[in-house]
C-alpha cells in the first residue's frame, strides 16, 4: 500500500495518466512518507522545498530530506547537503554539507559529485584541494552534469592542477552550453571570441553570448553589448548595445555601468544626457572600476552632469591613476601643476605626467616637456629614478608571472 501511495503521488506530480495536480501528489506522498518510505520522504521534501502542493517550508523540507537521507537515498542526501550548504531549513553548516554531499557522491549522484567538487575547490567543510575537486568534477561531468562540465572546462582553460588545454576546455564548455547551461554558453562564447581551442569566430561568439544573455547571465549581457557596439559577429547597432549594457548595469555589473555612462555621455544608442552619464559613472566608480573613476573625475573637473568641483575631480583622478589608468595619471598631473583640488606641486605633476607617458600615453609627452622647465635637475632625477624603479619592479613581477 505504501509504495502504491508513492506511485500515485508520482502520477499526479508528473501528470502521468491523469491531469497534473501537485496538491493531490502531496496528499499521496505524505502518508507514504509517514510510513517510512524514503522515496516518498524525498518527494515530500521536494514539495515543501519548492512550494508545490503545499506552502513552501524549508524546515519541513529539511526534516523529510533528512529522514530519507538517513535511510541512504542518494538524491535526499544531495538535497540535505544543499540545505546545510545554503542554510535553508537549518543553520548553515559546511561540514555537514560536505558530509552529505560525499555520502551521495560515493553512491554515484552526479549533482552531489559536482557539489563535492565545489567544496574541495572552495575549501568549504574540508581542506581546499583542487586535485580532488578536479576528480569529482570529472566524475560528474562524464555523467552529463552541465555545471560540472563547465567547471571542468575552467580547470583546463586556466591550467589548474591539469595541463592547460584549450581544446579540452572548449569541448567541456560546449557540452555544458548545448544543455542550455548559461555559464557554459558564456565561456564557449569566450573561446570563439578569443580563438581558444577553436578557430576565432565572432559569429559563433555572438550566438553563444546571446544565448546566455537571454537567460540573464550578466557577463554575457555585457559582452553582447560589446559585440553590438563593435559590430563583431553582428551588424553594428548602438541601440542594441545600449540595451544590453543597461541590462547588465541594472544587475550591478561595474563594467556595464561604466559603458552605459559612455553611451549617455556620447549619445550612443540613446539621447545624450550628462546627468545620466554622471550617475552611471559614479555607480561604477564606487565599485572600484578604474575607468569609471577617471570619467567621474572628468565630469567633476568640467562640470558635466554635476556642479564643477576640482576637489572631487582630484579625488577620483587620484583613485583611477593609482589603479593605472594612463589618462587619469595625466589629468592628475594637471591638477598638481595648476593647484586644482590640491596644493600646487610641480614635482608631483612631473611624476604623474612622466608615469603616464612611460605607461604609453603619448599625449602626456607635451606635458612632460612643459613641466620639466619648472624643475631643478635634482628634482627631475629623483622623479625619473623613482619611475625607473617602478618599471623595473613591474618587469620582474611580469617575468615571475605574478
Amino acid at each position: 500500500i505504501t509504495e502504491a501511495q508513492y506511485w500515485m503521488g508520482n502520477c499526479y506530480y508528473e501528470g502521468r495518466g491523469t491531469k497534473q495536480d501537485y496538491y493531490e501528489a502531496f496528499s499521496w506522498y505524505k502518508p507514504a512518507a509517514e510510513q517510512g518510505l524514503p522515496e516518498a520522504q524525498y518527494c515530500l521534501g521536494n514539495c515543501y522545498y519548492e512550494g508545490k502542493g503545499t506552502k513552501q517550508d524549508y524546515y519541513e523540507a529539511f526534516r523529510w530530506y533528512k529522514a530519507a537521507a538517513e535511510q541512504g537515498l542518494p538524491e535526499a542526501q544531495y538535497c540535505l547537503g544543499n540545505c546545510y550548504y545554503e542554510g535553508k531549513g537549518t543553520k548553515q553548516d559546511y561540514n555537514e554539507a560536505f558530509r552529505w554531499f560525499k555520502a551521495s557522491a560515493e553512491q554515484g549522484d552526479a549533482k552531489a559529485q559536482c557539489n563535492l567538487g565545489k567544496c574541495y575547490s572552495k575549501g568549504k567543510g574540508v581542506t581546499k584541494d583542487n586535485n580532488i575537486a578536479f576528480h569529482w568534477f570529472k566524475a560528474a561531468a562524464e555523467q552529463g552534469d552541465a555545471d560540472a562540465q563547465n567547471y571542468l572546462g575552467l580547470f583546463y582553460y586556466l591550467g589548474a592542477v591539469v595541463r592547460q588545454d584549450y581544446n579540452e576546455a572548449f569541448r567541456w564548455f560546449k557540452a555544458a552550453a548545448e544543455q542550455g547551461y548559461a555559464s557554459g554558453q558564456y565561456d564557449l562564447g569566450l573561446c570563439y571570441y578569443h580563438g581558444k581551442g577553436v578557430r576565432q569566430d565572432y559569429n559563433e561568439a555572438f550566438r553563444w553570448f546571446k544565448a546566455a544573455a537571454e537567460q540573464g547571465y550578466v557577463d554575457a549581457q555585457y559582452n553582447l553589448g560589446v559585440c553590438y557596439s563593435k559590430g563583431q559577429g553582428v551588424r553594428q547597432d548602438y541601440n542594441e548595445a545600449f540595451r544590453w549594457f543597461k541590462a547588465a548595469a541594472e544587475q550591478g555589473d561595474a563594467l556595464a555601468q561604466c559603458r552605459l555612462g559612455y553611451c549617455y555621455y556620447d549619445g550612443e544608442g540613446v539621447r545624450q544626457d550628462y546627468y545620466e552619464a554622471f550617475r552611471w559613472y559614479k555607480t561604477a566608480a564606487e565599485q572600484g572600476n578604474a575607468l569609471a573613476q577617471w570619467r567621474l573625475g572628468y565630469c567633476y573637473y568640467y562640470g558635466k552632469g554635476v556642479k564643477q568641483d576640482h576637489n572631487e575631480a582630484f579625488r577620483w583622478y587620484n583613485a583611477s591613476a593609482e589603479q593605472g589608468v594612463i589618462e587619469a595619471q595625466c589629468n592628475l598631473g594637471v591638477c598638481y601643476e595648476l593647484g586644482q583640488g590640491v596644493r600646487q606641486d610641480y614635482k608631483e605633476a612631473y611624476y604623474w605626467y612622466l608615469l603616464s607617458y612611460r605607461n604609453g600615453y603619448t599625449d602626456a609627452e607635451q606635458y612632460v616637456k612643459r613641466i620639466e622647465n619648472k624643475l631643478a635637475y635634482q628634482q627631475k632625477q629623483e622623479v625619473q629614478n623613482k619611475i625607473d624603479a617602478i618599471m623595473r619592479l613591474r618587469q620582474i613581477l611580469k617575468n615571475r608571472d605574478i
Side-chain angles (χ1 to χ4, degrees):
I1 293 175
T2 304
E3 288 195 1
Q5 291 170 330
Y6 163 66
W7 285 111
M8 281 292 289
N10 276 348
C11 289
Y12 279 112
Y13 195 91
E14 297 168 10
R16 289 189 298 179
T18 186
K19 185 181 177 182
Q20 190 177 55
D21 188 328
Y22 293 129
Y23 292 96
E24 277 296 308
F26 176 84
S27 72
W28 286 104
Y29 285 145
K30 197 167 189 291
E34 288 171 343
Q35 292 178 69
L37 189 69
E39 292 83 359
Q41 292 170 337
Y42 163 68
C43 290
L44 191 63
N46 284 340
C47 288
Y48 278 115
Y49 194 91
E50 296 168 10
K52 290 184 174 179
T54 187
K55 184 181 177 182
Q56 189 177 57
D57 188 330
Y58 291 132
Y59 293 97
E60 279 296 297
F62 172 82
R63 182 167 78 89
W64 288 107
Y65 285 149
K66 192 168 188 287
E70 287 174 344
Q71 292 195 65
L73 193 71
E75 299 95 321
Q77 292 171 337
Y78 160 72
C79 289
L80 186 62
N82 268 345
C83 288
Y84 278 116
Y85 195 91
E86 296 172 6
K88 289 186 174 178
T90 187
K91 184 180 177 182
Q92 190 176 56
D93 188 331
Y94 292 129
N95 293 321
E96 279 296 294
F98 171 81
R99 180 167 80 91
W100 288 106
F101 286 148
K102 190 170 187 285
S104 181
E106 288 174 346
Q107 290 195 68
D109 187 273
K111 290 184 181 298
Q113 291 171 340
C114 180
N115 280 14
L116 191 60
K118 291 178 185 178
C119 287
Y120 277 111
S121 177
K122 298 174 182 178
K124 300 284 191 181
V126 67
T127 303
K128 183 174 178 176
D129 190 325
N130 278 328
N131 286 295
I132 300 177
F134 177 83
H135 163 77
W136 286 109
F137 285 139
K138 193 167 189 291
E142 289 173 345
Q143 288 198 68
D145 185 85
D147 194 4
Q149 289 171 339
N150 197 63
Y151 268 99
L152 198 60
L154 289 172
F155 270 76
Y156 280 112
Y157 194 92
L158 300 172
V161 309
V162 66
R163 184 177 60 82
Q164 190 175 54
D165 188 331
Y166 292 128
N167 293 322
E168 276 297 291
F170 174 82
R171 180 168 80 88
W172 288 109
F173 289 149
K174 191 169 188 285
E178 288 175 344
Q179 291 194 66
Y181 190 68
S183 185
Q185 292 170 337
Y186 167 71
D187 289 327
L188 187 63
L190 286 181
C191 287
Y192 277 114
Y193 191 90
H194 296 293
K196 300 287 189 182
V198 67
R199 184 177 60 82
Q200 189 178 55
D201 188 330
Y202 289 135
N203 293 317
E204 280 295 297
F206 172 82
R207 180 167 81 92
W208 289 107
F209 287 151
K210 190 169 189 286
E214 288 173 345
Q215 291 194 64
Y217 196 82
V218 65
D219 292 336
Q221 291 175 334
Y222 171 76
N223 280 12
L224 193 62
V226 172
C227 288
Y228 275 116
S229 180
K230 295 182 177 180
Q232 293 175 321
V234 67
R235 184 176 60 82
Q236 190 176 55
D237 187 329
Y238 292 129
N239 293 321
E240 279 296 297
F242 172 82
R243 181 167 81 90
W244 287 106
F245 288 144
K246 191 168 188 285
E250 288 174 346
Q251 288 200 66
D253 185 80
L255 277 174
Q257 290 167 345
C258 183
R259 285 298 292 263
L260 197 61
Y262 274 97
C263 290
Y264 278 114
Y265 195 94
D266 296 329
E268 214 170 69
V270 67
R271 184 177 58 82
Q272 188 178 57
D273 187 329
Y274 292 134
Y275 294 96
E276 278 296 295
F278 171 82
R279 181 169 78 88
W280 286 107
Y281 285 148
K282 190 169 188 289
T283 304
E286 288 172 346
Q287 289 197 67
N289 183 276
L291 280 176
Q293 291 171 338
W294 166 54
R295 295 298 298 175
L296 186 62
Y298 192 90
C299 288
Y300 276 117
Y301 191 90
Y302 291 102
K304 299 286 189 179
V306 67
K307 184 181 177 182
Q308 189 178 54
D309 187 331
H310 287 152
N311 291 320
E312 280 296 295
F314 172 81
R315 181 166 80 92
W316 289 108
Y317 281 154
N318 187 66
S320 180
E322 294 285 359
Q323 290 199 68
V325 176
I326 56 179
E327 296 88 348
Q329 291 171 343
C330 187
N331 291 147
L332 194 60
V334 171
C335 290
Y336 275 112
E337 183 182 3
L338 302 180
Q340 293 174 322
V342 67
R343 185 176 58 82
Q344 190 177 56
D345 188 327
Y346 291 145
K347 188 177 178 182
E348 272 296 300
Y350 181 57
Y351 169 79
W352 286 108
Y353 287 149
L354 187 59
L355 185 63
S356 175
Y357 178 66
R358 292 282 297 275
N359 280 331
Y361 190 52
T362 55
D363 286 359
E365 184 179 15
Q366 59 183 310
Y367 296 95
V368 171
K369 290 180 177 178
R370 184 179 70 199
I371 201 73
E372 279 181 331
N373 298 325
K374 299 177 181 179
L375 294 173
Y377 175 79
Q378 186 178 347
Q379 290 177 307
K380 287 187 286 186
Q381 280 299 116
E382 287 172 359
V383 170
Q384 290 166 8
N385 290 340
K386 184 178 178 180
I387 291 177
D388 285 343
I390 290 171
M391 295 299 172
R392 283 196 300 272
L393 178 61
R394 183 181 298 169
Q395 190 59 45
I396 290 168
L397 294 178
K398 185 179 178 182
N399 291 340
R400 289 181 180 174
D401 197 31
I402 291 177

